[in-house]
Short mmCIF file of all heavy atoms in Angstrom, two decimals:
data_model
loop_
_atom_site.label_atom_id
_atom_site.label_comp_id
_atom_site.label_asym_id
_atom_site.label_seq_id
_atom_site.Cartn_x
_atom_site.Cartn_y
_atom_site.Cartn_z
N ARG A 1 -3.13 5.76 -14.10
CA ARG A 1 -3.66 4.42 -13.84
C ARG A 1 -2.85 3.68 -12.82
O ARG A 1 -3.34 3.11 -11.81
CB ARG A 1 -3.65 3.61 -15.14
CG ARG A 1 -4.37 2.26 -15.08
CD ARG A 1 -4.65 1.74 -16.46
NE ARG A 1 -3.46 1.67 -17.29
CZ ARG A 1 -3.28 2.34 -18.44
NH1 ARG A 1 -4.17 3.18 -18.84
NH2 ARG A 1 -2.20 2.17 -19.13
N ARG A 2 -1.49 3.81 -12.93
CA ARG A 2 -0.68 3.19 -11.96
C ARG A 2 -0.73 3.83 -10.63
O ARG A 2 -0.81 3.13 -9.57
CB ARG A 2 0.81 3.28 -12.50
CG ARG A 2 1.88 2.51 -11.70
CD ARG A 2 2.48 3.38 -10.64
NE ARG A 2 2.99 4.60 -11.17
CZ ARG A 2 3.12 5.70 -10.42
NH1 ARG A 2 2.90 5.67 -9.17
NH2 ARG A 2 3.58 6.85 -11.00
N TYR A 3 -0.81 5.15 -10.56
CA TYR A 3 -0.91 5.84 -9.29
C TYR A 3 -2.16 5.50 -8.57
O TYR A 3 -2.14 5.21 -7.30
CB TYR A 3 -0.92 7.34 -9.55
CG TYR A 3 -1.04 8.20 -8.34
CD1 TYR A 3 -0.04 8.13 -7.33
CD2 TYR A 3 -2.11 9.05 -8.11
CE1 TYR A 3 -0.15 8.92 -6.20
CE2 TYR A 3 -2.21 9.81 -7.01
CZ TYR A 3 -1.23 9.77 -6.02
OH TYR A 3 -1.33 10.52 -4.92
N LYS A 4 -3.35 5.36 -9.24
CA LYS A 4 -4.59 5.07 -8.65
C LYS A 4 -4.52 3.58 -8.14
O LYS A 4 -5.09 3.26 -7.07
CB LYS A 4 -5.74 5.23 -9.60
CG LYS A 4 -6.04 6.68 -9.92
CD LYS A 4 -7.07 6.83 -10.97
CE LYS A 4 -7.32 8.29 -11.33
NZ LYS A 4 -8.39 8.46 -12.38
N LYS A 5 -3.88 2.77 -8.90
CA LYS A 5 -3.81 1.31 -8.52
C LYS A 5 -2.97 1.07 -7.34
O LYS A 5 -3.35 0.26 -6.46
CB LYS A 5 -3.37 0.49 -9.72
CG LYS A 5 -3.34 -0.98 -9.53
CD LYS A 5 -2.92 -1.71 -10.81
CE LYS A 5 -2.99 -3.23 -10.53
NZ LYS A 5 -2.57 -4.00 -11.77
N TYR A 6 -1.79 1.70 -7.23
CA TYR A 6 -0.81 1.33 -6.20
C TYR A 6 -0.67 2.39 -5.16
O TYR A 6 0.06 2.10 -4.13
CB TYR A 6 0.55 1.03 -6.86
CG TYR A 6 0.57 -0.30 -7.63
CD1 TYR A 6 0.52 -0.33 -9.01
CD2 TYR A 6 0.55 -1.49 -6.94
CE1 TYR A 6 0.51 -1.52 -9.67
CE2 TYR A 6 0.55 -2.66 -7.55
CZ TYR A 6 0.52 -2.68 -8.99
OH TYR A 6 0.50 -3.88 -9.66
N ASN A 7 -1.21 3.56 -5.26
CA ASN A 7 -0.95 4.59 -4.36
C ASN A 7 -2.19 5.16 -3.62
O ASN A 7 -2.08 5.90 -2.69
CB ASN A 7 -0.18 5.76 -4.98
CG ASN A 7 1.19 5.33 -5.36
OD1 ASN A 7 2.11 5.44 -4.55
ND2 ASN A 7 1.33 4.90 -6.62
N ILE A 8 -3.36 4.76 -4.06
CA ILE A 8 -4.61 5.22 -3.44
C ILE A 8 -5.27 4.05 -2.76
O ILE A 8 -5.30 2.96 -3.28
CB ILE A 8 -5.59 5.85 -4.46
CG1 ILE A 8 -4.97 7.15 -5.00
CG2 ILE A 8 -6.92 6.12 -3.84
CD1 ILE A 8 -5.77 7.82 -6.05
N PRO A 9 -5.72 4.21 -1.49
CA PRO A 9 -6.31 3.06 -0.76
C PRO A 9 -7.37 2.30 -1.59
O PRO A 9 -8.22 2.92 -2.20
CB PRO A 9 -6.97 3.73 0.39
CG PRO A 9 -6.11 5.01 0.65
CD PRO A 9 -5.76 5.44 -0.74
N GLN A 10 -7.29 1.04 -1.53
CA GLN A 10 -8.16 0.18 -2.27
C GLN A 10 -9.33 -0.31 -1.40
O GLN A 10 -9.16 -0.48 -0.20
CB GLN A 10 -7.44 -1.04 -2.85
CG GLN A 10 -6.25 -0.71 -3.72
CD GLN A 10 -6.66 0.03 -4.97
OE1 GLN A 10 -7.49 -0.39 -5.67
NE2 GLN A 10 -6.01 1.18 -5.25
N SER A 11 -10.49 -0.50 -1.93
CA SER A 11 -11.65 -1.00 -1.16
C SER A 11 -11.69 -2.51 -1.14
O SER A 11 -12.59 -3.07 -0.46
CB SER A 11 -12.92 -0.40 -1.76
OG SER A 11 -13.03 -0.87 -3.12
N ASP A 12 -10.79 -3.18 -1.86
CA ASP A 12 -10.89 -4.63 -1.94
C ASP A 12 -10.48 -5.22 -0.58
O ASP A 12 -9.40 -5.06 -0.11
CB ASP A 12 -9.86 -5.09 -3.01
CG ASP A 12 -9.96 -6.62 -3.14
OD1 ASP A 12 -10.71 -7.23 -2.51
OD2 ASP A 12 -9.16 -7.11 -4.04
N ALA A 13 -11.46 -5.86 0.09
CA ALA A 13 -11.21 -6.38 1.39
C ALA A 13 -10.24 -7.49 1.39
O ALA A 13 -9.61 -7.77 2.41
CB ALA A 13 -12.56 -6.91 1.99
N ALA A 14 -10.00 -8.11 0.24
CA ALA A 14 -9.02 -9.21 0.16
C ALA A 14 -7.60 -8.76 0.16
O ALA A 14 -6.67 -9.49 0.40
CB ALA A 14 -9.36 -10.13 -1.07
N ALA A 15 -7.41 -7.52 -0.17
CA ALA A 15 -6.04 -6.93 -0.23
C ALA A 15 -5.48 -6.77 1.16
O ALA A 15 -6.16 -6.24 2.05
CB ALA A 15 -6.06 -5.62 -1.02
N GLU A 16 -4.23 -7.11 1.33
CA GLU A 16 -3.60 -6.96 2.66
C GLU A 16 -3.38 -5.49 2.88
O GLU A 16 -2.81 -4.74 2.04
CB GLU A 16 -2.29 -7.71 2.71
CG GLU A 16 -2.39 -9.18 2.73
CD GLU A 16 -1.08 -9.83 3.06
OE1 GLU A 16 -0.45 -9.52 4.15
OE2 GLU A 16 -0.67 -10.67 2.30
N ALA A 17 -3.73 -4.97 4.04
CA ALA A 17 -3.56 -3.57 4.33
C ALA A 17 -2.15 -3.25 4.73
O ALA A 17 -1.62 -2.18 4.42
CB ALA A 17 -4.52 -3.22 5.51
N VAL A 18 -1.44 -4.16 5.33
CA VAL A 18 -0.03 -3.99 5.80
C VAL A 18 0.84 -5.09 5.22
O VAL A 18 0.51 -6.29 5.41
CB VAL A 18 0.07 -3.93 7.25
CG1 VAL A 18 1.52 -3.71 7.69
CG2 VAL A 18 -0.82 -2.83 7.84
N LEU A 19 1.94 -4.74 4.59
CA LEU A 19 2.95 -5.69 4.05
C LEU A 19 4.17 -5.56 4.94
O LEU A 19 4.66 -4.42 5.13
CB LEU A 19 3.24 -5.43 2.59
CG LEU A 19 2.04 -5.44 1.64
CD1 LEU A 19 2.44 -4.98 0.23
CD2 LEU A 19 1.47 -6.88 1.51
N THR A 20 4.75 -6.64 5.36
CA THR A 20 5.92 -6.57 6.22
C THR A 20 7.02 -7.53 5.76
O THR A 20 6.79 -8.53 5.08
CB THR A 20 5.56 -6.92 7.67
OG1 THR A 20 5.08 -8.25 7.70
CG2 THR A 20 4.52 -6.02 8.23
N ASN A 21 8.26 -7.16 6.17
CA ASN A 21 9.42 -8.09 5.90
C ASN A 21 10.60 -7.57 6.76
O ASN A 21 11.17 -6.53 6.43
CB ASN A 21 9.79 -8.06 4.43
CG ASN A 21 10.93 -8.95 4.08
OD1 ASN A 21 12.08 -8.71 4.44
ND2 ASN A 21 10.67 -10.06 3.45
N SER A 22 10.94 -8.25 7.82
CA SER A 22 12.10 -8.04 8.58
C SER A 22 12.39 -6.57 8.92
O SER A 22 13.42 -6.06 8.49
CB SER A 22 13.31 -8.59 7.86
OG SER A 22 14.49 -8.52 8.62
N GLY A 23 11.49 -5.93 9.62
CA GLY A 23 11.65 -4.53 10.03
C GLY A 23 11.08 -3.53 8.99
O GLY A 23 11.00 -2.34 9.30
N LEU A 24 10.69 -4.02 7.81
CA LEU A 24 10.11 -3.18 6.79
C LEU A 24 8.61 -3.32 6.87
O LEU A 24 8.08 -4.45 6.84
CB LEU A 24 10.62 -3.59 5.42
CG LEU A 24 10.08 -2.83 4.17
CD1 LEU A 24 10.57 -1.32 4.29
CD2 LEU A 24 10.64 -3.42 2.90
N SER A 25 7.91 -2.21 6.92
CA SER A 25 6.45 -2.26 7.02
C SER A 25 5.83 -1.23 6.06
O SER A 25 6.14 -0.05 6.11
CB SER A 25 6.00 -1.98 8.47
OG SER A 25 4.62 -1.93 8.58
N MET A 26 4.80 -1.70 5.30
CA MET A 26 4.17 -0.82 4.27
C MET A 26 2.65 -0.87 4.52
O MET A 26 2.06 -2.00 4.43
CB MET A 26 4.46 -1.20 2.87
CG MET A 26 3.64 -0.46 1.81
SD MET A 26 4.13 -0.92 0.11
CE MET A 26 5.67 -0.04 -0.09
N ASN A 27 2.04 0.22 4.83
CA ASN A 27 0.61 0.29 4.99
C ASN A 27 -0.04 0.80 3.76
O ASN A 27 0.14 1.95 3.37
CB ASN A 27 0.28 1.23 6.22
CG ASN A 27 -1.18 1.12 6.56
OD1 ASN A 27 -2.08 1.20 5.74
ND2 ASN A 27 -1.50 0.98 7.86
N ILE A 28 -0.78 -0.09 3.08
CA ILE A 28 -1.37 0.24 1.79
C ILE A 28 -2.43 1.32 1.93
O ILE A 28 -2.56 2.23 1.09
CB ILE A 28 -1.95 -1.01 1.09
CG1 ILE A 28 -0.88 -2.10 1.01
CG2 ILE A 28 -2.56 -0.68 -0.30
CD1 ILE A 28 0.32 -1.70 0.20
N GLN A 29 -3.20 1.20 3.00
CA GLN A 29 -4.37 2.13 3.20
C GLN A 29 -3.89 3.55 3.46
O GLN A 29 -4.53 4.51 2.97
CB GLN A 29 -5.24 1.64 4.36
CG GLN A 29 -5.85 0.25 4.10
CD GLN A 29 -6.75 0.22 2.83
OE1 GLN A 29 -7.46 1.19 2.66
NE2 GLN A 29 -6.68 -0.79 2.08
N THR A 30 -2.85 3.70 4.27
CA THR A 30 -2.41 5.08 4.63
C THR A 30 -1.28 5.56 3.79
O THR A 30 -0.83 6.72 3.93
CB THR A 30 -1.96 5.11 6.13
OG1 THR A 30 -0.87 4.17 6.33
CG2 THR A 30 -3.11 4.67 7.06
N HIS A 31 -0.78 4.72 2.90
CA HIS A 31 0.35 5.02 2.00
C HIS A 31 1.56 5.44 2.83
O HIS A 31 2.23 6.43 2.63
CB HIS A 31 -0.07 6.17 1.05
CG HIS A 31 0.92 6.32 -0.07
ND1 HIS A 31 2.06 7.09 -0.06
CD2 HIS A 31 0.91 5.71 -1.34
CE1 HIS A 31 2.69 7.03 -1.21
NE2 HIS A 31 2.01 6.18 -1.97
N GLU A 32 1.87 4.63 3.85
CA GLU A 32 3.01 4.90 4.72
C GLU A 32 3.95 3.71 4.65
O GLU A 32 3.54 2.58 4.52
CB GLU A 32 2.59 5.19 6.18
CG GLU A 32 1.81 6.38 6.39
CD GLU A 32 1.28 6.52 7.81
OE1 GLU A 32 0.67 5.58 8.33
OE2 GLU A 32 1.63 7.55 8.48
N CYS A 33 5.26 3.99 4.75
CA CYS A 33 6.23 2.93 4.75
C CYS A 33 7.30 3.22 5.87
O CYS A 33 7.77 4.38 5.95
CB CYS A 33 6.89 2.82 3.36
SG CYS A 33 7.90 1.35 3.14
N PHE A 34 7.60 2.20 6.66
CA PHE A 34 8.56 2.36 7.71
C PHE A 34 9.61 1.31 7.68
O PHE A 34 9.36 0.15 7.28
CB PHE A 34 7.86 2.31 9.06
CG PHE A 34 6.82 3.34 9.34
CD1 PHE A 34 5.51 3.13 8.87
CD2 PHE A 34 7.17 4.50 9.95
CE1 PHE A 34 4.56 4.14 9.14
CE2 PHE A 34 6.23 5.47 10.18
CZ PHE A 34 4.90 5.32 9.77
N LEU A 35 10.89 1.68 8.03
CA LEU A 35 11.96 0.81 8.18
C LEU A 35 12.47 0.87 9.56
O LEU A 35 13.04 1.92 9.93
CB LEU A 35 13.04 1.01 7.15
CG LEU A 35 14.24 0.10 7.13
CD1 LEU A 35 13.77 -1.36 6.90
CD2 LEU A 35 15.30 0.52 6.07
#
């Protein structure tokens, strides 16, 4: 349940596809994270 919720791309258009913070970037759709 947790894996599907937080690790598989969501179809909810309201959800942010990319989360960022001072050089940290997380792409929810592609399950990629960069620092």
Side-chain angles (χ1 to χ4, degrees):
R1 187 164 58 241
R2 187 268 311 158
Y3 178 63
K4 291 175 181 178
K5 181 175 181 180
Y6 288 105
N7 292 272
I8 294 179
Q10 305 294 310
S11 59
D12 185 359
E16 288 191 57
V18 179
L19 302 171
T20 61
N21 182 289
S22 185
L24 180 63
S25 175
M26 173 179 283
N27 190 310
I28 305 302
Q29 299 299 320
T30 62
H31 197 270
E32 294 176 305
C33 192
F34 297 87
L35 181 59

